[in-house]
Amino acid sequence: MTPTSTPASPAFTLTVKELGDLIEQKVREALAVHAATETMTRTQVAKMLGLHPKSVSRLVARRELPAKRIGRTWRFEATKVKEWMGRGANAR
């Protein structure tokens, strides 16, 4: 005697069109999040701030300028750099 099993019934079902629409919606949401978090390189931030790239590295090393390390390079979120600029020199 071999045990028999029945396939588990799904909690809900989607048509192919509904699944396609759901995937399209999720991709659009992901792209919107990505677009909202524009990243910049050290050189781009230096140009934006009117500084030498080494000065930007010094600010990062002193933890004065928010940045994230990705591999061997630093990346900066444009919104956070703009917020940092808006705080002014005294608040740093």
Side-chain angles (χ1 to χ4, degrees):
M1 247 187 195
T2 59
T4 59
S5 61
T6 58
S9 61
F12 60 91
T13 58
L14 293 173
T15 65
V16 172
K17 178 166 178 11
E18 290 171 330
L19 179 59
D21 291 344
L22 181 62
I23 291 170
E24 184 178 340
Q25 175 189 356
K26 294 300 179 182
V27 167
R28 285 184 183 173
E29 289 172 6
L31 289 173
V33 168
H34 177 70
T37 57
E38 178 190 351
T39 58
M40 302 172 69
T41 65
R42 179 182 73 149
T43 303
Q44 291 171 320
V45 172
K47 286 181 183 178
M48 182 177 174
L49 299 175
L51 298 172
H52 192 278
K54 285 186 180 183
S55 297
V56 172
S57 294
R58 287 186 196 106
L59 290 170
V60 171
R62 292 193 307 248
R63 296 178 186 233
E64 293 181 27
L65 183 62
K68 289 187 179 186
R69 184 121 185 165
I70 299 177
R72 298 178 70 182
T73 62
W74 288 101
R75 291 289 185 251
F76 304 83
E77 287 185 33
T79 54
K80 290 186 179 183
V81 173
K82 290 174 186 172
E83 288 172 8
W84 180 83
M85 288 172 60
R87 289 196 302 258
N90 296 332
R92 296 183 194 139

